[in-house]
Amino acid sequence: MPQENRARQLFKPEFRFGLGGVPLGNEFNKILDRDAEATLAAAWNVGVRYFDVAPWYGFGLSERRFGHFLHNQRREDYLLSSKVGKLFRASKNNRHAEIFPLSDSPNDVIFDYTADGVRRSIEDSLQRLGVDSLDIAFVHDLSPDFAYFPTSWEEQFRIAERGAFPALSRMREEGIIKAWGIGVNCPQPILRAIEVADPDVCLCASQYSLIDHAYAVNDLFPKVHEKNVSLVIGSALNAGFISGSARYNYGQENYRIPPAFIAKRKKLRDVADAHGVDLRTAALQFSAAPDVAVALVVGAGSAEQAVQNYNAMQARIPAGFWQELKEQGLIEQSAAVPG
């Protein structure tokens, strides 16, 4: 059902800051179970109540870890989103060593964006998580940057358009989930999805950061606003690049960082230093500022990092910092800034 045919309020989750599950799927480093548990406990103890995971993260590892902690909390006290489109089955000949070599997962992946596949994906996630419901389901990685599909991403999108999208709309109407959308690292799939289906909220990852946000401001945001679709913003640090990591976003070649981005990071650091601002803090607050951004999800690989992320959202940043970024052309003139 097209978006414009269904009148409803903009979906706004109760909690605007969330913990993302990529690091605890051992995407970047090998994290022990006890340290993952400590990370989740630290986030909970400072007040984080939104948790975003996916079967893909560590081939099931992240969901199991989040579930081990969350199943001991009252389900009504937190918001939980996960992803659909990929099923996982234990296999001796699995691909975890190729895709998530640090996860030690026994699972192999099956891509399935059909209606039946989506229902099975949610059932499997609930089993791994040890909880009885999801709040939001994001159709995961239907995007030109995803390298592992057996056919083109457009073909996978067409399967989802016939299967996953209407199935999730029915599940929303049945009360099985509160909302659904797609979760991707590129804008094109979001723009297509809001034209052919009726998503509530989309996970916009790696697309709205201090480093790269022009297309989102000028093209994506006006379109989702017109369709009354909200956004959860992810990867505000471009997978840690803004805070100093030797990688940019995700994928097997994320170590190939465009020189222009390295140069821009240096300029951002110089302005931040001149104003006594922590650049990491500024980056997180910037990505949370747009009116279409109803939540910000930030990953953490340690208890200390989880606390730092939460505290960064409470810090005060002088208006002069944002003004100088615009004067130097480092952020779009029309970009929203924290007020």
Side-chain angles (χ1 to χ4, degrees), residues 49-91:
R49 292 296 184 271
Y50 176 21
F51 301 90
D52 176 72
V53 290
W56 178 250
Y57 304 157
F59 276 28
L61 177 63
S62 185
E63 283 191 325
R64 288 196 297 105
R65 285 174 162 174
F66 274 67
H68 189 266
F69 177 81
L70 290 174
H71 86 274
N72 289 313
Q73 314 303 324
R74 293 197 314 164
R75 183 62 188 86
E76 61 269 28
D77 287 345
Y78 62 88
L79 183 78
L80 180 62
S81 58
S82 193
K83 320 294 193 306
V84 299
K86 305 183 182 92
L87 303 176
F88 291 87
R89 296 290 179 271
S91 169

Side-chain angles (χ1 to χ4, degrees), residues 85 111-120 159-160 162-165 167:
F111 300 104
D112 192 341
Y113 292 96
T114 66
D116 288 344
V118 162
R119 288 186 179 269
R120 177 63 61 84
I159 294 171
R162 297 189 298 266
F165 296 172

Side-chain angles (χ1 to χ4, degrees), residues 27-28 206 212 235 237-241 247-251 254:
E27 164 94 8
F28 308 120
S206 309
D212 181 16
S235 197
L237 303 174
N238 296 113
F241 172 73
R247 60 177 177 262
Y248 184 81
N249 292 345
Y250 306 100
N254 64 355

Side-chain angles (χ1 to χ4, degrees), residues 62-311:
S62 185
E63 283 191 325
R64 288 196 297 105
R65 285 174 162 174
F66 274 67
H68 189 266
F69 177 81
L70 290 174
H71 86 274
N72 289 313
Q73 314 303 324
R74 293 197 314 164
R75 183 62 188 86
E76 61 269 28
D77 287 345
Y78 62 88
L79 183 78
L80 180 62
S81 58
S82 193
K83 320 294 193 306
V84 299
K86 305 183 182 92
L87 303 176
F88 291 87
R89 296 290 179 271
S91 169
K92 291 182 179 179
N93 301 311
N94 66 69
R95 299 179 68 187
H96 97 262
E98 171 194 349
I99 301 173
F100 282 98
L102 301 178
S103 73
D104 296 328
S105 173
N107 294 327
D108 206 1
V109 60
I110 301 166
F111 300 104
D112 192 341
Y113 292 96
T114 66
D116 288 344
V118 162
R119 288 186 179 269
R120 177 63 61 84
S121 181
I122 290 178
E123 291 170 2
D124 288 352
S125 286
L126 295 178
Q127 288 294 318
R128 280 188 293 267
L129 288 160
V131 299
D132 61 3
S133 65
L134 293 179
D135 296 297
I136 307 170
F138 293 117
V139 184
H140 203 196
D141 281 335
L142 280 175
S143 181
D145 70 307
F146 188 73
Y148 302 104
F149 285 141
T151 62
S152 69
W153 80 270
E154 291 95 341
E155 173 59 25
Q156 298 298 318
F157 190 98
R158 286 192 289 270
I159 294 171
E161 186 178 345
R162 297 189 298 266
F165 296 172
L168 288 166
S169 291
R170 287 193 296 271
M171 293 172 74
R172 179 189 57 213
E173 303 310 322
E174 294 166 6
I176 297 172
I177 57 175
K178 293 179 181 177
W180 75 272
I182 64 173
V184 288
N185 299 324
C186 296
Q188 301 98 311
I190 295 177
L191 294 172
R192 284 181 62 171
I194 64 177
E195 290 295 335
V196 302
D198 66 337
D200 308 277
V201 55
C202 292
L203 176 57
C204 174
S206 309
Q207 302 174 55
Y208 191 74
S209 71
L210 279 177
I211 293 289
D212 181 16
H213 60 270
Y215 188 90
V217 170
N218 298 314
D219 294 271
L220 178 62
F221 288 180
K223 294 289 180 56
V224 297
H225 189 273
E226 177 186 328
K227 294 291 186 177
N228 205 33
V229 175
S230 57
L231 297 175
V232 172
I233 304 296
S235 197
L237 303 174
N238 296 113
F241 172 73
I242 291 177
S243 52
S245 296
R247 60 177 177 262
Y248 184 81
N249 292 345
Y250 306 100
Q252 293 184 332
E253 295 195 345
N254 64 355
Y255 63 90
R256 297 183 184 273
I257 304 172
F261 292 168
I262 295 174
K264 183 173 183 179
R265 181 175 65 180
K266 183 181 184 305
K267 291 178 181 178
L268 290 166
R269 283 175 173 168
D270 289 344
V271 177
D273 290 344
H275 288 268
V277 170
D278 173 61
L279 183 59
R280 189 172 186 276
T281 294
L284 295 179
Q285 291 197 17
F286 175 80
S287 292
D291 58 355
V292 295
V294 294
L296 177 71
V297 168
V298 186
S302 69
E304 179 183 18
Q305 195 173 65
V307 173
Q308 288 174 346
N309 291 342
Y310 183 84
N311 287 339

